[in-house]
Amino acid sequence: MERARADRFMASAAALVGRYTYRPETDEWWWSDTMFMIHGFEPGAVVPTTELVMRHVHPEDVPAAWESREALLERCEPFSFLHRIRTARNDLRVVLAAGHLEDEDGTPVVHGHLVDITDVRQDAVHTEVDTAVVDFVEHRAVIEQAKGVLMQLYSVDTDTAWALLRAFSADTNRKVRDIARVLVDAVAGDRTPTKVGPVSAHVMLERLYSDVPQAVANDSAKAE
């Protein structure tokens, strides 16, 4: 019975993580297949444009979306933006967009991701008190610390911080407890984004993992 409940949790924890690039000088977009899926399209069914992106943003969130775009393009500030979108299938989804600007041979290019956290956000509170989620209960302290780090760095609430950890877990097939430990260790070692320059949460976690010694990864595998 406990195993069955845990399996249902794992299914509900899945999150869609789309990736994109945007070239502001030519207003050209590239979307991963998952970006199309999050917006309710079959991969390649439409040509992504700024107009298309903004058309799917919830009307109440449009001003904040333009403000994030301005901060990125005019002030070169990385952004993390929680908002709602209406898909091509008329579904309302809660997504977290993040991106940063890079100079590629003198041409500005935006790299980012879009995480659909609708489902993981809705069941976040229930998950935290579910005794079937042994991984969370046994490693609650380090996970709570990691959530606190994300809340401080990206100005998000506790549910969204938890959703970010779970989304990265689903995207990379790593355990939340291991992701949390890597993040907390980075804070202890003074290697957080506040020291290396702000980037999106997903990119930040990827970079931290690239610095994890192989021995640590092996130890985690042995512990399974």
Side-chain angles (χ1 to χ4, degrees):
M1 181 64 174
E2 291 297 307
R3 175 57 183 273
R5 291 175 67 197
D7 286 346
R8 286 200 299 272
F9 160 71
M10 291 305 294
S12 69
L16 292 177
V17 181
R19 300 179 185 279
Y20 67 86
T21 58
Y22 172 59
R23 299 178 180 275
E25 289 188 350
T26 56
D27 200 33
E28 292 179 287
W29 290 79
W30 170 86
W31 279 6
S32 68
D33 288 350
T34 309
M35 283 289 293
F36 287 96
M37 294 168 59
I38 292 174
H39 284 84
F41 297 108
E42 291 297 322
V46 295
V47 177
T49 64
T50 300
E51 180 184 0
L52 177 71
V53 171
M54 299 306 296
R55 191 163 64 235
H56 285 279
V57 175
H58 190 282
E60 294 179 1
D61 296 332
V62 167
W66 283 114
E67 182 178 338
S68 294
R69 186 178 188 275
E70 179 179 308
L72 177 68
L73 298 181
E74 296 185 9
R75 300 192 295 273
C76 299
E77 299 174 358
F79 73 94
S80 184
F81 172 47
L82 184 69
H83 62 289
R84 296 158 293 175
I85 64 171
R86 180 71 67 178
T87 73
R89 297 168 184 167
N90 205 35
D91 296 324
L92 187 66
R93 310 297 294 176
V94 179
V95 297
L96 184 71
H100 62 281
L101 194 66
E102 294 186 5
D103 186 311
E104 297 185 0
D105 298 325
T107 300
V109 179
V110 179
H111 294 275
H113 64 273
L114 185 73
V115 185
D116 184 345
I117 63 173
T118 308
D119 298 326
V120 293
R121 185 180 170 86
Q122 288 176 346
D123 69 2
V125 175
H126 300 292
T127 297
E128 294 188 13
V129 298
D130 189 343
T131 56
V133 189
V134 178
D135 195 54
F136 182 89
V137 174
E138 291 185 350
H139 303 274
R140 186 184 188 99
V142 69
I143 292 175
E144 288 290 355
Q145 290 180 59
K147 286 167 55 179
V149 172
L150 293 176
M151 290 169 66
Q152 183 177 23
L153 289 176
Y154 297 101
S155 299
V156 295
D157 61 20
T158 183
D159 287 355
T160 301
W162 177 228
L164 280 171
L165 287 171
R166 291 169 63 185
F168 187 75
S169 172
D171 189 41
T172 62
N173 197 30
R174 296 185 174 101
K175 290 185 176 297
V176 170
R177 69 185 185 207
D178 295 332
I179 298 168
R181 188 173 296 111
V182 167
L183 180 54
V184 171
D185 287 346
V187 173
D190 205 27
R191 293 182 288 110
T192 58
T194 54
K195 299 300 180 183
V196 300
V199 293
S200 67
H202 210 77
V203 172
M204 179 269 292
L205 289 169
E206 286 181 335
R207 290 182 180 178
L208 289 181
Y209 253 98
S210 68
D211 294 333
V212 175
Q214 186 60 42
V216 174
N218 291 338
D219 288 342
S220 296
K222 292 177 182 177
E224 297 302 320

